[in-house]
């Protein structure tokens, strides 16, 4: 009589990483429960729900994992030991490198993961919209700090700078997904930062 092998232990962290790759590649709605289970070693529906509760709960956990790992490229925005211009430039260049690295899906999960959801998944879309808004506020805080310390002049043009920078930051996700490499985005960032320099107070 053949002996029954010991069941393979479920590795929750590996399952979470597999789900992250799927959601990042395909987005929330196109990723099916069957694909998620298969990526986790063909676990049963009961095992999936026991581990994660629901697809949406899993996605929320995936987003948190992303923010704690790949999303750390954004941390310069909130580092007040950096000059505001340096904080912005470091964030953009680090994000460009991360989004174009081929060892994981290209682009940004926060931008591409749930940008066109059906009404029943509005809460998922709202989750990522809130993270994008947090990035906008981080950029605005840098610009406001630059105005307060005299690096930038307060003007109607300067007021539009956070929108310009956030639009570029979020737009890189589409460019990276479409195949742009870090070198091309880096060159564009250099041009973009010249806009900041044109608004700087002469020293």
């Amino acid at each position: 009589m053949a002996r029954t092998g010991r069941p393979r232990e479920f590795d929750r962290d590996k399952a979470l990483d597999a789900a992250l790759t799927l959601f990042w590649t395909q987005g929330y709605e196109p990723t099916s429960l069957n694909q998620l289970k298969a990526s986790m070693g063909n676990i049963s529906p009961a095992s999936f729900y026991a581990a994660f509760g629901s697809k949406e709960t899993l996605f929320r956990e995936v987003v948190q994992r992303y923010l704690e790992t790949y999303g750390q490229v954004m941390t310069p925005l909130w580092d007040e030991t950096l000059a505001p211009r340096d904080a912005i430039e470091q964030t953009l260049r680090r994000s460009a490198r991360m989004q174009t690295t081929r060892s994981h899906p290209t682009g940004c999960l926060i931008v591409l993961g749930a940008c066109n959801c059906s009404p029943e998944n509005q809460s998922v879309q709202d989750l990522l919209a809130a993270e994008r808004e947090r990035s906008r506020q981080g950029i605005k805080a840098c610009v406001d700090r630059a105005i307060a310390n005299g690096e930038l002049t307060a003007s109607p043009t300067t007021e539009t700078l956070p929108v310009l920078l956030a639009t570029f930051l979020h737009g890189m996700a589409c460019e990276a997904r479409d195949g742009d490499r870090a070198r091309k985005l880096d060159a564009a960032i250099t041009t973009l930062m010249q806009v900041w320099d044109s608004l700087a107070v002469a020293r």
Side-chain angles (χ1 to χ4, degrees):
M1 180 177 178
R3 291 187 303 173
T4 303
R6 182 179 178 182
R8 184 173 57 183
E9 185 177 350
F10 176 69
D11 189 324
R12 196 177 189 281
D13 279 339
K14 285 186 178 179
L16 194 60
D17 287 337
L20 170 55
T21 298
L22 264 179
F23 283 132
W24 193 350
T25 302
Q26 300 180 173
Y28 179 77
E29 286 197 344
T31 300
S32 69
L33 181 58
N34 284 339
Q35 288 176 316
L36 289 167
K37 291 186 299 178
S39 75
M40 297 174 184
N42 291 309
I43 63 173
S44 68
S47 295
F48 176 87
Y49 289 116
F52 300 110
S54 69
K55 179 183 172 182
E56 180 175 340
T57 302
L58 169 61
F59 184 74
R60 289 177 179 276
E61 195 168 341
V62 159
V63 169
Q64 190 59 38
R65 171 68 65 92
Y66 179 89
L67 293 172
E68 291 171 354
T69 53
Y70 302 101
Q72 290 299 296
V73 296
M74 304 296 294
T75 56
L77 289 180
W78 296 277
D79 184 353
E80 294 193 0
T81 67
L82 294 172
R85 187 192 187 283
D86 290 343
I88 293 288
E89 185 171 13
Q90 284 187 29
T91 297
L92 292 174
R93 294 196 190 281
R94 289 171 60 175
S95 185
R97 287 194 296 272
M98 184 279 288
Q99 293 193 54
T100 54
T101 297
R102 295 311 200 257
S103 60
H104 54 67
T106 55
C108 172
L109 175 69
I110 303 303
V111 174
L112 303 174
C115 57
N116 194 27
C117 286
S118 53
E120 58 265 31
N121 290 317
Q122 185 63 45
S123 60
V124 172
Q125 188 163 308
D126 291 345
L127 170 69
L128 299 192
E131 287 300 328
R132 293 192 296 273
E133 179 59 24
R134 183 170 177 268
S135 297
R136 293 186 192 99
Q137 291 304 315
I139 290 171
K140 185 177 185 301
C142 288
V143 173
D144 289 346
R145 190 156 57 91
I147 293 171
N149 66 22
E151 291 180 42
L152 295 176
T153 56
S155 69
T157 302
T158 306
E159 286 181 7
T160 68
L161 191 55
V163 177
L164 174 65
L165 294 167
T167 300
F168 185 95
L169 173 66
H170 295 146
M172 281 198 296
C174 295
E175 299 305 306
R177 182 59 59 92
D178 286 348
D180 277 3
R181 297 301 180 107
R183 182 181 299 178
K184 186 175 181 179
L185 293 177
D186 255 340
I189 291 166
T190 297
T191 301
L192 179 65
M193 296 311 298
Q194 290 172 2
V195 175
W196 179 293
D197 295 338
S198 72
L199 300 170
V201 175
R203 297 287 184 177

